[in-house]
Amino acid sequence: MPVQTGSQSPYAEFRKRHVRQQPSPVVWQWENLAKELEAAEHTEYGTLTLAAPGGSHEIVPGTSMTFQVVRTGDRTTTHAHSWWHLYFVRSGAGTVIFDETGESAELTGGDILLIPAWSAHHFENHEADEDLLLLNMSNLPQLAAIHNNFSAEHA
């Protein structure tokens, strides 16, 4: 790769490029979300990600929010990644297993769970009649911006 010559610009111009407008409040109505969740494909790691009016998946700088559905009788694959998750259990019940230590925690509607970066984990839903519905906040967009969004699945 050839070495290139850089340029410079006045500081005032630099500042103008990095000033953001004040964001507007945004609401996602549960009635609409519930309909979309019902119709969406439920993949193992996520079902529906919230987006701002302009289409960005960064709800606040560096942070995203995604719904994840673990169907009755299902489990996710054990995995770890460079971003953290803050889970809000919207409904249903299930178990989170931290595979490196073998520890687990039972989850039910209203619980909040923090999974630190690189903590190997998976979810299980042994309920017979209700999906486990999780809303998770993560710093994946922040890490993707600095090319540090790595993950690994475990057998």
Side-chain angles (χ1 to χ4, degrees):
M1 172 183 323
V3 175
Q4 299 180 13
T5 301
S7 63
Q8 53 282 336
S9 62
Y11 182 76
E13 184 180 318
F14 164 78
R15 286 290 302 227
K16 278 196 271 185
R17 288 184 185 179
H18 296 282
V19 171
R20 292 186 179 197
Q21 291 183 346
Q22 176 70 24
S24 298
V26 179
V27 64
W28 293 267
Q29 298 290 329
W30 176 247
E31 182 179 346
N32 296 331
L33 289 170
K35 287 177 188 174
E36 287 195 45
L37 281 166
E38 186 64 34
E41 177 185 358
H42 300 294
T43 67
E44 186 172 5
Y45 301 122
T47 300
L48 191 67
T49 301
L50 300 182
S56 171
H57 291 114
E58 280 189 299
I59 301 308
V60 294
T63 307
S64 63
M65 293 189 77
T66 298
F67 282 98
Q68 181 175 355
V69 176
V70 183
R71 295 285 200 189
T72 60
D74 280 353
R75 62 165 279 160
T76 61
T77 302
T78 300
H79 63 285
H81 36 67
S82 59
W83 56 95
W84 51 259
H85 281 296
L86 183 61
Y87 283 95
F88 303 88
V89 182
R90 172 89 170 117
S91 61
T95 307
V96 60
I97 293 93
F98 298 96
D99 294 87
E100 292 168 340
T101 63
E103 294 179 87
S104 64
E106 297 302 314
L107 302 171
T108 190
D111 289 348
I112 299 171
L113 166 68
L114 173 65
I115 298 183
W118 292 117
S119 180
H121 62 281
H122 74 274
F123 292 98
E124 296 179 357
N125 182 353
H126 297 295
E127 295 294 308
D129 59 353
E130 189 174 13
D131 293 337
L132 173 61
L133 178 57
L134 304 163
L135 174 60
N136 87 69
M137 178 184 289
S138 80
N139 66 330
L140 176 56
Q142 176 188 43
L143 293 180
I146 60 172
H147 306 288
N148 190 25
N149 53 326
F150 299 103
S151 63
E153 287 189 3
H154 302 271

